[in-house]
């Protein structure tokens, strides 16, 4: 066989080998076999070819066959790499696809969420409120109202989350959509609450209000009878609805209040349902309305004219006929003669007249009765000078007012208040006022200083002897010095009398007079010594 024939046969064998390798590759793709199996098959074929042709072919031709076999195997490896790359590319594509889908899903979700927020507009909220108003108007039961309330809560949440236009701060007339919507929402809530009920609790509340009216109102004798009638009628009216006996045990206030309590307890125990027991609740409320009307029509003390009130309390009883005008003044003077402080206080409280108030205060001051302390103390705490004067006339019985009066001792801007206060403190006689009064012996107003000195003399506290002696010796005002000498005489201790008696030759007659009286008192004590006399 020639070389040309040999080369042709070798080419045919190479092509057969390539076809065999291609078929092996096809088998791997179809059956999932490994490339290793294909290599084994190819190797077998290669061996067969080499064995068959080995005797005829030369070594060069064998080498050519091997090179061709190698070249045939290299495309197969490249094919495998291409397949692996394709698979990786497909996997990468799938991952990228999943990632893209996730991103698109998140973007869609955000878009949907944004769309929800963007949908909350002024117009949409107004439409929701319109629908809620219609729902509220159609509501008939508590359950319906509960549903409306839930709707309003949802609208409130939307309103809070909505991004609404803000009004122009520089424009007072600028519209404020949010404020308008909130206002309308509150109106619907108010209407909702008004449509609820009535409940059993409303009946109990009405009964409690009636009880307060009975307790807090001052009734006339006629009014007390009318109140009792109103409560008895109420008890009878509710007995049918509550199936019980609630009649009061008597006409006194305690019995009437107890009867109302028993009705309130029965209503609470009944646990009425606003829907199921609407008729019963309405009947009970009708009864409470009738009770309130009866109490309103009952005669109160304030319904009477002043003279009617006084007549009802017997203020005019002492008068057989009117001697003075007005008759109230005549009655006042008669009650003062009888020492009846209560009637004078009644007139003081009742009459809105400056004339009668003045005469009442004068009567109380003349009487000096501690029964008027509370009223006078209250007025004194408002700087009422007539009341302070009246307290002074009560003497030691008015010690409870000393603390209040001491507060006015330094009221230098009101000399008249100081004068009446100093005198009242002196008359009350509490040593608590000694030091504050002693401090006023050196105040600038020489018209007030004498009142401080005399007050100290009335109190009689021996601690005042020294400041009074200094005032007597050094004060420039003769009136003040005379008042100090008088005060020392009132204290009456030996040292006090001696200090006053040293001024028998004083330049001022009024001081000499007080000194002479002090000296006479000392002489009398020497002639008839008092074993109980004290020495300061």
């Amino acid at each position: 066989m020639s070389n040309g024939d040999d080369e042709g046969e070798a080419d045919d064998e190479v092509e057969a080998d390539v076809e065999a390798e291609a078929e092996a590759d096809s088998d791997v793709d179809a059956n999932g076999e490994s490339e290793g199996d294909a290599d084994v098959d190819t190797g077998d074929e290669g061996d067969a070819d080499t064995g068959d042709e080995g005797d005829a072919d030369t070594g060069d031709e064998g080498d050519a066959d091997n090179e061709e076999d190698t070249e045939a195997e290299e495309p197969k490896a490249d094919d495998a790499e291409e397949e692996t790359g394709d698979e990786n590319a497909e996997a990468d594509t799938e991952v990228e696809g999943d990632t893209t889908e996730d991103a698109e899903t998140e973007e869609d979700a955000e878009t949907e969420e944004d769309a929800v927020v963007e949908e909350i507009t002024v117009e949409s909220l107004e439409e929701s409120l319109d629908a809620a108003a219609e729902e509220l108007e159609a509501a008939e039961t508590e359950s319906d109202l509960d549903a409306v309330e839930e709707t309003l809560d949802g609208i409130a949440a939307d309103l809070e989350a909505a991004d609404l236009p803000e009004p122009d701060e520089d424009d007072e007339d600028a519209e404020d959509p949010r404020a308008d919507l909130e206002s309308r929402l509150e109106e619907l809530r108010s209407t909702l609450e008004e449509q609820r009920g009535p409940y059993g609790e409303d009946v109990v509340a009405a009964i409690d209000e009636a009880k307060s009216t009975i307790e807090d109102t001052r009734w006339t004798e006629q009014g007390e009878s009318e109140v009792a009638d109103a409560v008895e009628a109420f008890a009878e009216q509710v007995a049918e609805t509550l199936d019980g006996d609630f009649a009061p045990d008597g006409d006194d206030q305690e019995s009437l209040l107890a009867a109302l309590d028993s009705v309130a307890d029965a209503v609470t125990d009944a646990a009425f349902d606003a829907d199921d027991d609407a008729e019963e609740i309405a009947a009970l409320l009708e009864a409470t309305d009738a009770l309130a009307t009866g109490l309103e029509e009952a005669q109160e003390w304030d319904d009477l004219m002043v003279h009617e009130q006084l007549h009802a309390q017997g203020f005019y009883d002492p008068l057989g006929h009117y001697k003075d005008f007005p008759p109230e003044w005549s009655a006042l003077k008669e009650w003062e003669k009888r020492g009846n402080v209560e009637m004078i206080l009644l007139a003081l409280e009742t009459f809105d007249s400056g004339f009668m108030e003045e005469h009442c205060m004068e009567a109380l001051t003349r009487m000096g009765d501690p029964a008027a302390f509370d009223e006078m103390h209250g007025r004194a705490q408002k700087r009422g000078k007539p009341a302070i004067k009246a307290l002074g006339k009560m003497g030691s019985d008015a010690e409870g007012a000393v603390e209040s009066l001491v507060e006015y001792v330094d009221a230098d801007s009101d000399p008249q208040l100081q004068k009446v206060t100093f005198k009242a403190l002196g008359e009350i006689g509490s040593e608590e006022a000694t030091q504050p009064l002693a401090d006023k012996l050196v105040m600038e107003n020489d018209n007030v200083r004498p009142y401080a000195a005399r007050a100290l003399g009335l109190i009689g506290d021996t601690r005042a002897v020294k400041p009074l002696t200094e005032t007597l010796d050094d004060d420039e005002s003769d009136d003040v010095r005379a008042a100090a000498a008088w005060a020392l005489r009132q204290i009456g201790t030996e040292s006090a009398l001696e200090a006053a008696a040293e001024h028998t030759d004083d330049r001022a007659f009024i001081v000499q007079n007080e000194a002479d009286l002090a000296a006479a008192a000392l002489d009398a004590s020497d002639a008839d010594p008092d074993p109980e006399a004290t020495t300061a």
Side-chain angles (χ1 to χ4, degrees), residues 383 408-418 440 443 445:
R383 298 194 172 205
Y408 305 147
V409 168
D410 290 327
D412 294 352
S413 60
D414 191 348
Q416 296 304 317
L417 177 62
Q418 285 182 314
K440 306 309 291 184
M443 66 182 297
N445 193 329

Side-chain angles (χ1 to χ4, degrees), residues 13 16 79 106 126 144 146-147 184 186 202 235 250 252 287 315 322 336 358 370 381 413 424 478 488 496 504 508:
E13 290 175 355
D79 293 339
E106 292 177 357
E126 288 179 343
D144 294 339
D146 290 339
R184 187 177 175 193
E186 287 304 313
D202 297 329
D252 59 286
F315 181 77
Y322 297 162
E336 181 184 351
E358 179 183 353
Q381 289 176 316
S413 60
D478 292 340
L488 289 169
T504 53

Side-chain angles (χ1 to χ4, degrees), residues 131-380:
E134 294 177 0
E135 185 180 358
L136 178 58
E137 185 176 358
E140 296 181 352
T141 66
E142 289 293 314
S143 179
D144 294 339
L145 295 174
D146 290 339
V148 175
E149 185 173 17
E150 185 175 350
T151 299
L152 295 179
D153 290 340
I155 295 174
D158 290 343
L159 179 56
E160 184 177 357
D163 185 13
L164 302 180
E166 296 293 335
D168 185 358
E169 295 181 356
D170 298 330
D171 185 0
E172 296 181 356
D173 299 328
E175 295 184 356
D176 186 352
R178 183 178 298 277
D180 295 340
L181 291 168
E182 289 176 347
S183 176
R184 187 177 175 193
L185 179 61
E186 287 304 313
E187 289 178 0
L188 288 176
R189 288 192 185 279
S190 298
T191 304
L192 172 67
E193 292 304 317
E194 291 174 359
Q195 289 186 210
R196 287 192 179 278
Y199 306 103
E201 291 83 353
D202 297 329
V203 179
V204 174
I207 294 174
D208 289 339
E209 184 176 353
K211 287 175 55 184
S212 298
T213 300
I214 294 173
E215 291 178 306
D216 299 339
T217 304
R218 184 180 180 184
W219 307 99
T220 64
E221 184 176 352
Q222 174 184 333
E224 290 176 352
S225 176
E226 292 170 343
V227 168
D229 292 341
V231 173
E232 290 173 359
F234 171 74
E236 182 178 353
Q237 187 174 355
V238 299
E240 299 178 3
T241 303
L242 296 174
D243 191 20
D245 183 9
F246 306 100
D249 295 333
D251 292 341
D252 59 286
Q253 187 177 100
E254 183 177 356
S255 298
L256 298 177
L257 295 177
L260 293 178
D261 282 333
S262 64
V263 175
D265 292 340
V267 173
T268 301
D269 294 340
F272 290 116
D273 182 87
D275 292 330
D276 298 338
D277 303 312
E279 293 183 2
E280 288 79 0
I281 295 174
L284 292 171
L285 286 174
E286 183 179 350
T288 57
D289 289 343
L291 173 62
T293 300
L295 296 179
E296 185 178 354
E297 293 176 351
Q299 190 180 65
E300 301 178 23
W301 185 255
D302 293 339
D303 293 337
L304 300 178
M305 301 293 290
V306 171
H307 70 278
E308 292 177 328
Q309 293 178 357
L310 292 174
H311 267 298
Q313 295 175 92
F315 181 77
Y316 296 103
D317 289 353
L319 298 180
H321 61 281
Y322 297 162
K323 297 180 180 179
D324 297 315
F325 187 84
E328 291 77 17
W329 188 17
S330 296
L332 179 66
K333 290 188 288 185
E334 186 61 33
W335 287 123
E336 181 184 351
K337 291 179 183 178
R338 299 186 184 186
N340 192 319
V341 175
E342 291 183 1
M343 282 298 178
I344 297 176
L345 289 174
L346 172 63
L348 180 63
E349 177 185 359
T350 304
F351 290 117
D352 186 16
S353 163
F355 174 83
M356 288 302 300
E357 179 179 359
E358 179 183 353
H359 285 285
C360 287
M361 293 301 299
E362 290 177 354
L364 292 170
T365 301
R366 288 190 293 267
M367 296 172 73
D369 194 321
F373 174 80
D374 289 341
E375 177 66 24
M376 296 300 100
H377 188 206
R379 289 171 175 259

Side-chain angles (χ1 to χ4, degrees), residues 453-495:
R454 289 180 177 276
L456 290 170
L458 291 173
I459 293 174
D461 189 345
T462 57
R463 293 178 299 168
V465 171
K466 182 178 179 180
L468 286 170
T469 300
E470 293 174 352
T471 298
L472 175 57
D473 293 342
D474 303 331
D475 199 283
E476 298 179 356
S477 170
D478 292 340
D479 289 337
V480 176
R481 294 172 60 243
W486 180 90
L488 289 169
R489 281 201 312 109
Q490 301 308 309
I491 294 174
T493 63
E494 183 177 355
S495 61

